[in-house]
Amino acid sequence: MLFDTGYARRFHEHTSAFPYSLYAKVTPAFIGEGDCAVRQLADAGIPPDDVRQIVVSHFHADHIAGLRDFPRARYICAEWAYEAVKPLKGLKAVLRGFVPSLLPGGFEERCRMLREDERVRLPGGFPFPDGYDLFGDGSVIAVDVSGHAEGQLGLFVRTERSEYFLCADAVWSSRAFREHRLPHPAAGLIMSGRSRYKTTFQAVVRLHRDYPQFRIIPSHCMEAWERYIRGGEPL
């Protein structure tokens, strides 16, 4: 199971023509062959067919560009996240960070879309009031961390070793939640909802403060990369 796929080299092909080329110019990406998730997994001895589920946190291109590399995978996303981007094309899609052609064929048929009426209550006082118990055993709980993108999902994961919160782009760095640093106001231009972002941000800050057992891992945090990937600290 994967949580997003990150970039893939096909991103360049799918953003070569206007208006999607604007996306590539505003957020230029330099993607080496070894950077793609499918290659990193192969280097770890995991072939692409072994990936059977992918949680799509949200539909920005830097999180979905590798979906096509895993042909046997089924997907999990928030229903309202998909409905928010499904009709978008051209400039409207670009303004939401979405490149429609990156989605694999038959996406809807292969996707389990979480509905709002499926939520279960989480313990009282927890920073996130409800979520989705993906396997029915409490090991993987998805929660709504909208704000950066409509219907963005974060994932609480419990293993025998530790507990984690994969918070996607709810914050961009570990320093942000440690030091209570909101992003520059200009970042609001790409957000689906500024006020909702602040609510979600505060929930992550509270989680760090009140539940230190969770290792919070933002998708774009270089500190997390250095610590867990390059540094080799066991997750």
Side-chain angles (χ1 to χ4, degrees):
M1 183 181 207
L2 298 182
F3 182 64
D4 292 334
T5 62
Y7 275 122
R9 297 186 73 179
R10 70 175 55 84
F11 171 78
H12 297 305
E13 173 190 348
H14 289 251
T15 56
S16 61
F18 184 84
Y20 299 105
S21 57
L22 295 174
Y23 189 122
K25 289 176 181 177
V26 173
T27 57
F30 303 92
I31 308 159
E33 187 65 42
D35 297 330
C36 304
V38 67
R39 176 63 179 274
Q40 293 187 49
L41 289 171
D43 290 345
I46 303 171
D49 283 353
D50 280 5
V51 175
R52 298 304 180 90
Q53 296 188 80
I54 301 174
V55 175
V56 179
S57 70
H58 61 296
F59 288 89
H60 288 173
D62 57 325
H63 291 255
I64 66 169
L67 288 178
R68 292 176 180 268
D69 291 329
F70 303 97
R72 299 190 69 182
R74 301 185 68 84
Y75 315 115
I76 300 171
C77 74
E79 181 180 50
W80 63 101
Y82 179 66
E83 293 299 325
V85 300
K86 179 181 177 181
L88 300 181
K89 292 181 175 62
L91 282 173
K92 290 185 177 179
V94 171
L95 290 171
R96 299 291 288 274
F98 178 53
V99 179
S101 61
L102 289 175
L103 287 183
F107 178 83
E108 292 186 29
E109 291 73 23
R110 294 167 63 184
C111 188
R112 172 187 173 188
M113 297 196 188
L114 305 176
R115 304 188 312 271
E116 295 200 48
D117 61 5
E118 294 180 276
R119 298 187 190 198
V120 296
R121 297 294 299 177
L122 298 180
F126 197 65
F128 298 92
D130 47 42
Y132 301 88
D133 190 345
L134 296 188
F135 299 120
D137 61 0
S139 63
V140 181
I141 304 288
V143 295
D144 185 357
V145 289
S146 291
H148 170 76
E150 184 66 27
Q152 180 178 233
L153 293 177
L155 217 61
F156 285 96
V157 181
R158 178 183 295 117
T159 71
E160 293 180 354
R161 179 174 291 170
S162 192
E163 295 179 289
Y164 311 92
F165 182 45
L166 311 181
C167 68
D169 292 358
V171 299
W172 283 300
S173 71
S174 300
R175 185 181 182 188
F177 64 73
R178 278 201 310 266
E179 300 180 10
H180 203 169
R181 289 173 173 259
L182 283 163
H184 190 280
L189 295 173
I190 64 168
M191 293 178 182
S192 64
R194 295 174 190 242
S195 61
R196 182 57 195 269
Y197 179 88
K198 290 180 180 179
T199 299
T200 295
F201 179 87
Q202 294 297 341
V204 178
V205 170
R206 284 182 54 210
L207 181 75
H208 170 67
R209 182 191 67 204
D210 299 341
Y211 297 85
Q213 71 270 29
F214 287 102
R215 299 187 183 190
I216 302 172
I217 303 178
S219 292
H220 295 276
C221 180
M222 287 306 298
E223 179 182 330
W225 169 267
E226 293 286 350
R227 181 174 180 180
Y228 297 120
I229 307 302
R230 185 172 297 171
E233 180 176 329
L235 284 170

